[in-house]
Amino acid sequence: MDKPRLFMLCLGAMLLSLVSSCGSSKNKNTTENEETTQASAVQVPAFSADSAYLYIERQVAFGPRVPNTDAHRACGEYLYRQLQAFGATMYDQRADVVSYDGKILKARNIIGAYNPEAKKRVLLCAHWDSRPYADADKKEHHHTPIDGANDGASGVGVLLEIARHLQQQAPAVGIDIVFFDAEDYGIPEFYDGTYKEDTWCLGSQYWGRIPHVPDYKARFGILLDMVGGKGATFYYEGYSARTASHAMKKIWDAAHRLGHTQYFIKEAGGEVTDDHVYVNRFRQIPCVDIIGYNPHSDNGFHETWHTLGDNMDCIDRATLQAVGETVMAVIYNEK
Ligand code: AHN
Ligand code: ZN
């Protein structure tokens, strides 16, 4: 097209838009009112389940992320660099923690802060290690480490996808993403030594006592645990319901507004000792555990829980989508 004709076309378009905007001026008040009400509904970026799935695959490809192994160290490096590449201010928290059987585990909590100056903050967390034992599987597999595609990697995958959006569009509040280590090294059923309390969640226990910044505070936290299982359901987890009911209601309401009613069930589920307990106990931050819970199974969890079946085959993008969209809606609507 030659230049003069293109110019005339543009001029025509400009005139048309001018006419149409003049024409609507008699409705100015209603238009403004509509704008005011719409202004309160922020644009939430579109969560991509494909992207989250890829981040899960990458973690699982290292092999089981059992503390003190090469796969664990390599995956820790990947997670630190990925969160850094998504523009977060990074904190690398190394910790020697002691396992139920007296081993020193070289743990690493990986933390990325968005808008670190903001006073109003929301904490998002998941554990990145995987269990050294398939102790809910057949006996011959009890000492085999698991991929932990769902138990571990799924929560981290969803949070990495959220981090990608946080870099592109900042919400009104500051966000801290914490990948806790050594959550899943808890005392196994087959152990015949003396029973010990608090053997799970060693990374979050350490962080709770010594946070990445002194006196760290957040309005509330959201923990993602086993958020990728096919046909997963999320019930009101007991400890969260007692200590973080306000945030919990906000999350389940957001999920229902988005239509994810078959995933987010507004009924009481079991109570779980998970990282959110220590976030609340040591930092007094109400923290909600969005955890795959199955009321019809013996152990209360997904059929692949602590079995060799917890691999990429049990991950469903639709579940990741429901959880990712919901968490994004909550944080982008926080004022
Ligand atoms: C216990 O089984 C004691 N707590 C569940 C926390 C957990 C394990 N989440 C994932 N793996
Ligand atoms: Zn586990």
Side-chain angles (χ1 to χ4, degrees):
M1 198 183 286
D2 57 297
K3 272 200 179 134
R5 274 193 62 191
L6 184 66
F7 175 73
M8 286 308 286
L9 254 167
C10 293
L11 195 70
M14 280 163 71
L15 276 171
L16 246 165
S17 68
L18 204 67
V19 170
S20 61
S21 64
C22 289
S24 68
S25 68
K26 62 172 181 283
N27 293 326
K28 209 166 181 235
N29 283 336
T30 46
T31 310
E32 268 179 10
N33 283 341
E34 277 162 21
E35 273 165 10
T36 327
T37 42
Q38 272 173 9
S40 59
V42 290
Q43 271 294 324
V44 180
F47 181 89
S48 163
D50 283 329
S51 173
Y53 188 93
L54 185 78
Y55 302 137
I56 299 169
E57 269 186 326
R58 287 193 183 151
Q59 294 169 75
V60 170
F62 287 103
R65 282 86 59 219
V66 173
N68 297 353
T69 66
D70 286 340
H72 178 269
R73 280 183 285 272
C75 185
E77 229 20 57
Y78 157 69
L79 294 175
Y80 185 92
R81 285 168 198 269
Q82 190 61 264
L83 200 48
Q84 187 171 49
F86 289 146
T89 300
M90 297 302 297
Y91 301 83
D92 195 1
Q93 186 175 60
R94 310 281 184 155
D96 286 356
V97 295
V98 182
S99 65
Y100 71 92
D101 55 352
K103 287 197 210 48
I104 289 173
L105 307 179
K106 296 285 186 186
R108 182 179 191 184
N109 293 324
I110 299 162
I111 299 132
Y114 288 88
N115 195 358
E117 306 305 318
K119 276 252 172 299
K120 300 169 184 169
R121 314 200 62 75
V122 174
L123 167 71
L124 304 178
C125 48
H127 76 90
W128 71 271
D129 62 306
S130 62
R131 185 150 179 78
Y133 317 113
D135 52 342
D137 208 319
K138 302 203 272 262
K139 196 160 181 196
E140 56 190 293
H141 296 142
H142 279 192
H143 290 270
T144 310
I146 64 170
D147 277 354
N150 193 30
D151 191 355
S154 67
V156 171
V158 167
L159 292 184
L160 281 176
E161 166 58 2
I162 291 175
R164 187 173 74 82
H165 291 290
L166 290 174
Q167 180 175 36
Q168 291 173 2
Q169 185 187 323
V173 296
I175 303 286
D176 302 290
I177 294 182
V178 182
F179 297 148
F180 289 124
D181 199 357
E183 187 273 349
D184 231 345
Y185 217 108
I187 193 163
E189 288 275 3
F190 58 70
Y191 187 60
D192 52 17
T194 326
Y195 178 80
K196 264 185 77 185
E197 286 285 334
D198 298 314
T199 62
W200 303 82
C201 310
L202 300 177
S204 58
Q205 293 190 53
Y206 184 94
W207 175 88
R209 293 189 167 99
I210 309 169
H212 62 291
V213 291
D215 302 318
Y216 174 78
K217 265 295 189 185
R219 270 187 191 172
F220 64 90
I222 303 176
L223 171 64
L224 302 183
D225 195 4
M226 305 189 268
V227 292
K230 217 164 275 173
T233 44
F234 307 104
Y235 285 71
Y236 291 142
E237 183 275 327
Y239 184 88
S240 309
R242 280 192 284 110
T243 57
S245 65
H246 180 78
M248 180 164 244
K249 188 176 183 316
K250 187 148 63 178
I251 297 164
W252 265 249
D253 283 350
H256 279 234
R257 269 198 300 278
L258 290 163
H260 302 310
T261 51
Q262 82 269 44
Y263 292 98
F264 286 81
I265 314 299
K266 291 186 167 182
E267 286 171 34
E271 180 154 340
V272 179
T273 301
D274 209 344
D275 294 316
H276 66 314
V277 168
Y278 302 97
V279 169
N280 183 70
R281 184 182 298 172
F282 295 134
R283 300 245 58 81
Q284 291 76 46
I285 297 169
C287 188
V288 178
D289 194 4
I290 302 180
I291 182 167
Y293 175 77
N294 180 0
H296 312 294
S297 82
D298 292 343
N299 56 42
F301 298 117
H302 199 264
E303 64 211 17
T304 63
W305 182 71
H306 292 183
T307 73
L308 299 182
D310 185 356
N311 55 43
M312 285 312 293
D313 295 340
C314 77
I315 302 298
D316 186 354
R317 287 177 176 81
T319 307
L320 299 170
Q321 188 67 37
V323 173
E325 257 177 43
T326 298
V327 175
M328 296 261 288
V330 169
I331 62 175
Y332 278 92
N333 280 296
E334 202 64 25
K335 293 279 132 56

